[in-house]
Structures are given as structure tokens and as C-alpha cells.
Amino acid sequence: MQRKGGYFRFPPFFLYRTYFFRMKTKPHKINSGAVNVITLGCSKNLVDSEVLLSQLKGNNIQAGHEEEKSNAGIIVVNTCGFIDKAKEESVNTILHYIDKKEKGEIEKLFVTGCLSQRYKDDLMLEMPEVDGFFGTQDMPDLVKSLGADYKKELLGERVLTTDSHYAYLKIAEGCNRPCSFCAIPLMRGKNVSRSLEFLVEEAEFLVKKGVKEVMLIAQDLTYYGIDLYGTRKLDDLLNRLADVKGLEWIRLHYAYPSGFPVEILKTMRERENICNYLDIPLQHASDNVLKLMRRGINRKRTEELMQQIRDEVPGITLRTTMLVGHPGETQEDHEELLEFVRQQRFDRLGVFTYSHEENTYAHRYEDLIPEEEKESRKEEVMEVQQEISFAKNREKIGKVYKTLIDRKENGYFVGRTESDSPEVDNEVLISDKGLKIGNFYNVKIQDAMEYDLMGTIE
Ligand code: SF4
């Protein structure tokens, strides 16, 4: 079943199938017509699932999100198709629900999202048990297939799946960048910005629902507005959102370094409710690899930009993402990356290993760096970062930070400071009792670990 030439590199299906047939079980009471939505991948996919849930709710269709004990008759899997590991997880999830359908535990199975957008024809051939495959722009058709009418009047509304005090605000869809390794433009298309008015309305809608913190997301946040207004409009958007009463934290994710709109730095410094936090994936630091990646920037310009950001927004928290193992990356390039990470001392850093994705620009190169070597390069970068993270955390002991409480766990209240985005960054464990989830408190840091902090209410 495995196809040569890498057009479809999933686990061999027949292995999975034989296992499932053996396992038939007695069907349980199914709630026909009810829908359970499963979201894989990134926060942009999560927003799409929230929009779908809002459409179903608007049609009085009972719908839930990733409900373990759901007896919903219909499953929608919102897939990710970014890199190998993500694709494998998506396929395994679909097969899991094909099994449930074979066992009579669900009635219908629909698949949407990036994997479906990218491999629709192959998936239809390989998985005839699935009742329908939909792309990333096919929401109206998907809603129709679920027995509902697509309601334009509900645009901007969502059923939140995150904790009720924070939410993602997707300001644009798609990407116009030529990064060599990236398949996202193949699945999400060209950059399409949402209007300023639409986004302010959506932010006001979220605040009415109890949201105090929004993460601004897109494939490339800094491109915002060029397609719609003919010029960058991120600074305007930030000021309009900062005027929305009740929004206490506005956080920026997925900024692109080349052509970075430095005008936003003044706004970030001056507007109280815009977090001194910036997620700016750099991917690498060696000029050789940045060129191969077609990132449109070199190390010198990257360093100047990092310095300017830190000068203009004192104390800013910088998060970045690196990619190791790109074709053509030499040991010297890798050592330069390690040296750059030591030099820059980012506050938050994640690392991906290169995945050889067909139809991307880099697919013309040979993927010669062994997976083990990619993994060990990733480990080396994370080891450097772990030391930096621990050292920076120790510098926070004795200081007081405004902290948002997300949940209670193992006897601690768990919160985040302005330097921590949900799901991806560090947390503060607070031993005090009787705190209210979704509220802000001033927390004095008492102790530090590699990533997380311990604190008490000040
Ligand atoms: S900016 Fe580059 S890496 Fe990010 S989504 Fe666009 S093409 Fe992919």
C-alpha cells in the first residue's frame, strides 16, 4: 500500500483494517444527528472548528468538541496536513473513527481541514468508509452535509473550545510567502485578511462571552492588510483592538521577520493591554540555510531586527521557532544556529525537524540528512534553550507578575504571566487557596524550574 516517490507516505492501511474487523462490538445508544468535532493541528484549525460549532448551534443541531464519552452519531475530524508526524496523527484519528463506524458506534464520519484539502482524491480512494471529505474553504458544503443551513449572519460568531477567559482571533487566512519547506500555502491558499471592522466586532463578541485575552493568529501576522487595503494594517488593527473595553491582554503570534512592520513596536510599548510578547518564527540563523529556505532575510538583518525590537519594547518576551535538518544544512550551519541561540537568549523557543513535503519548493532537493541526525540536532538546540530558560526563570525569583489563572491541577492553581501564551509556553504554579479561574492576580515568584515557576499571591 505504501507508495514510492513519497506522494502518500502514510502507514500501510491494510495492517490497520484487519485488526478492526476482528473487533466488532455491540452498538450502544447513538444520538443520531448529534455531532462531535475533533480538531487536530494548530490554533487556526481550532478557530475553524469553533466556527463550525457555531453554525451547528445556530441550526439547533446538538454539537460538542472532543467529548470523550460522546454518543454523537456523527463525527467530524478537522485534520492537519503540515508535516509527516501531523499527517500520521490525522490518518490514525480517521482510522480510529472508521473502526467505530465498522463497530456501529457511530453512523457518519466526515473529514475536513488541511490533510483533506491536500490529499482529497487519495483519501477518497483509500477510505471509502468516510461519508465526505471537505477542504479548508468548504465550510458551507460541510455544514450542508451535516443537515444544516450555512448562516452568513453567524459570521464572526464562534462556540469557544478554549477556557472561557481566552480565545484565538484569526486575522487572516493563507500565506503569500515562498518558504521552501512549507506546505501550508498549498492547503490554505493565498493570504486573505479579514476586515478591521469584522475583527473588532469579533473581539467585542468574544469579550461579551467573558474573554479577557486574545491571541492574534494567522499564517503570517505581519502581512495583515496588504491584500485588502493595499498596505500593512497591523498597527491600525492593534490600536482598534486595544480600544475594545474588557480586552486585558492582546498577544501577537506568527510574525514574519522579513519586512517586519516596526511601526507596531511603539504601539506595543504604549498600549497597556497589548502584551510585551512577540512570537516571531525565525527558522534558522545561517545565511546559507536562510537562503535555501527562501526566508528573504539574512543573519545580520535578523540580529538588527531582534535588537530594534528589544530596544523599542523594553522587557519584551520573544518566542521563536527553529527548523533543523533542511536539505543543504551543514554541520557548520547547525553550529552557527546553536551559537545564535546562545547569543540571542530567546525567552521561548520551539524546534521542528525538516519534513520532506511533496509539492513544496524544497522537495526538489534530496532529503539526505538522516532522521536520527535531525532529531539529535533538535535535541542540541533544546538543550541550549533549556539552560537559557532556567537561567531566565531564576532571574524572576522575588519579583511580582500579573498572572491569569487558567485552571486548578494537583492542588495548585495554574496561571500564566504576560510572557506566556496558552498551550505553548511556561506556567506558574500557585499554592494559595480560593483563587478564581479566569481572574488576574499579582503573584510573587518563590521558585523556578527549567520552564515553569512557583509563586504565591502578593
Ligand atoms: S510564512 Fe512561510 S512557514 Fe509560515 S505559513 Fe507562510 S510559507 Fe509557511
Side-chain angles (χ1 to χ4, degrees):
M1 293 288 271
Q2 193 128 357
R3 299 184 174 179
K4 283 273 161 295
Y7 265 99
F8 216 59
R9 295 192 296 160
F10 295 136
F13 286 113
F14 63 85
L15 255 183
Y16 285 84
R17 296 189 174 292
T18 41
Y19 167 68
F20 293 136
F21 282 129
R22 226 185 357 265
M23 298 279 287
K24 264 214 181 304
T25 54
K26 198 165 70 36
H28 62 281
K29 178 115 188 50
I30 293 178
N31 181 353
S32 296
V35 181
N36 189 15
V37 178
I38 312 297
T39 306
L40 303 169
C42 68
S43 51
K44 284 145 270 188
N45 234 19
L46 189 66
V47 170
D48 293 349
S49 291
E50 294 178 343
V51 170
L52 173 60
L53 289 165
S54 165
Q55 287 287 332
L56 296 175
K57 188 167 166 242
N59 282 272
N60 300 319
I61 291 181
Q62 195 187 336
H65 188 251
E66 299 182 350
E67 292 175 354
E68 299 256 330
K69 298 214 171 0
S70 166
N71 66 348
I74 303 174
I75 298 290
V76 175
V77 180
N78 186 3
T79 60
C80 176
F82 181 38
I83 53 174
D84 267 358
K85 294 190 185 87
K87 293 192 280 187
E88 200 148 337
E89 185 194 12
S90 292
V91 166
N92 288 338
T93 305
I94 300 169
L95 289 171
H96 170 72
Y97 286 105
I98 285 178
D99 169 47
K100 281 187 170 294
K101 192 177 176 196
E102 301 280 350
K103 290 179 183 165
E105 292 174 19
I106 63 169
E107 291 165 343
K108 288 207 176 277
L109 173 58
F110 295 95
V111 174
T112 187
C114 290
L115 185 86
S116 186
Q117 175 75 31
R118 194 171 173 193
Y119 298 109
K120 190 173 181 180
D121 301 343
D122 291 314
L123 289 166
M124 286 170 74
L125 270 179
E126 305 274 353
M127 297 171 161
E129 302 85 350
V130 172
D131 297 280
F133 288 94
F134 298 86
T136 53
Q137 314 300 322
D138 298 344
M139 182 74 73
D141 297 342
L142 172 57
V143 167
K144 205 145 151 269
S145 298
L146 295 168
D149 303 324
Y150 184 70
K151 295 180 182 295
K152 282 211 168 73
E153 66 273 23
L154 291 178
L155 283 181
E157 298 204 8
R158 288 147 54 189
V159 172
L160 296 184
T161 60
T162 50
D163 295 338
S164 59
H165 52 273
Y166 72 80
Y168 297 96
L169 186 61
K170 182 156 59 171
I171 71 171
E173 185 66 277
C175 188
N176 292 21
R177 300 284 180 177
C179 306
S180 62
F181 52 84
C182 186
I184 293 174
L186 302 173
M187 301 178 283
R188 293 278 168 174
K190 289 289 181 198
N191 187 90
V192 179
S193 301
R194 299 193 156 120
S195 73
L196 289 163
E197 295 69 29
F198 179 95
L199 291 167
V200 169
E201 242 177 69
E202 187 166 342
E204 287 162 350
F205 164 85
L206 293 172
V207 168
K208 279 201 204 91
K209 293 191 114 198
V211 168
K212 296 174 180 174
E213 174 189 19
V214 288
M215 274 55 69
L216 304 189
I217 58 172
Q219 305 303 351
D220 170 7
L221 208 72
T222 40
Y223 199 90
Y224 177 73
I226 294 178
D227 57 304
L228 192 54
Y229 303 105
T231 181
R232 293 180 192 282
K233 281 285 189 184
L234 184 57
D235 196 43
D236 296 45
L237 176 63
L238 289 179
N239 278 300
R240 300 271 302 263
L241 291 176
D243 293 339
V244 174
K245 294 259 163 313
L247 262 189
E248 299 210 26
W249 275 355
I250 298 165
R251 201 180 286 282
L252 280 65
H253 276 272
Y254 307 105
Y256 196 87
S258 170
F260 183 89
V262 290
E263 66 274 12
I264 70 170
L265 299 174
K266 179 171 177 293
T267 305
M268 290 178 77
R269 184 178 66 243
E270 293 176 355
R271 302 302 305 257
E272 187 61 31
N273 56 352
I274 298 179
C275 294
N276 282 356
Y277 176 99
L278 181 67
D279 168 39
I280 180 166
L282 297 174
Q283 309 298 358
H284 215 283
S286 98
D287 289 353
N288 170 43
V289 179
L290 287 169
K291 198 152 181 284
L292 287 166
M293 285 179 167
R294 309 199 321 159
R295 293 288 290 177
I297 194 168
N298 61 19
R299 177 171 176 170
K300 185 168 175 303
R301 178 69 198 110
T302 302
E303 288 170 337
E304 287 164 358
L305 177 62
M306 293 304 109
Q307 193 54 55
Q308 182 177 7
I309 293 172
R310 285 172 163 146
D311 291 346
E312 294 200 30
V313 189
I316 191 167
T317 294
L318 285 177
R319 155 173 270 284
T320 194
T321 304
M322 298 297 184
L323 181 82
V324 297
H326 188 281
E329 181 190 59
T330 63
Q331 184 56 29
E332 291 68 40
D333 293 324
H334 177 57
E335 272 147 28
E336 181 175 356
L337 176 62
L338 292 173
E339 182 256 325
F340 176 77
V341 170
R342 280 192 202 93
Q343 171 215 51
Q344 287 292 325
R345 298 184 86 245
F346 293 102
D347 304 277
R348 313 277 179 264
L349 182 145
V351 186
F352 281 97
T353 55
Y354 173 76
S355 178
H356 204 45
E357 295 299 320
E358 74 278 354
N359 300 326
T360 60
Y361 186 88
H363 200 255
R364 68 197 57 208
Y365 306 133
E366 283 197 281
D367 181 19
L368 299 173
I369 302 171
E371 288 308 314
E372 310 73 58
E373 176 58 26
K374 290 177 188 169
E375 284 302 328
S376 86
R377 290 181 184 181
K378 174 182 173 180
E379 287 314 310
E380 284 177 34
V381 176
M382 287 316 293
E383 274 159 29
V384 171
Q385 182 58 26
Q386 190 173 6
E387 282 169 31
I388 292 167
S389 175
F390 194 19
K392 282 183 172 258
N393 270 2
R394 282 203 301 274
E395 290 160 12
K396 293 185 175 178
I397 294 176
K399 296 184 180 145
V400 176
Y401 294 90
K402 180 181 177 181
T403 301
L404 178 57
I405 307 300
D406 284 334
R407 65 185 186 282
K408 191 165 186 200
E409 196 176 281
N410 305 332
Y412 287 98
F413 282 96
V414 181
R416 289 174 292 110
T417 70
E418 185 177 347
S419 298
D420 302 300
S421 192
E423 318 276 338
V424 291
D425 287 333
N426 306 355
E427 293 180 319
V428 187
L429 307 184
I430 302 150
S431 49
D432 297 69
K433 303 288 174 247
L435 306 186
K436 199 161 173 309
I437 290 172
N439 278 14
F440 289 95
Y441 295 87
N442 288 328
V443 173
K444 185 170 187 175
I445 305 305
Q446 304 295 353
D447 199 358
M449 295 164 283
E450 276 93 359
Y451 295 108
D452 294 338
L453 299 164
M454 307 289 286
T456 54
I457 299 300
E458 186 60 7

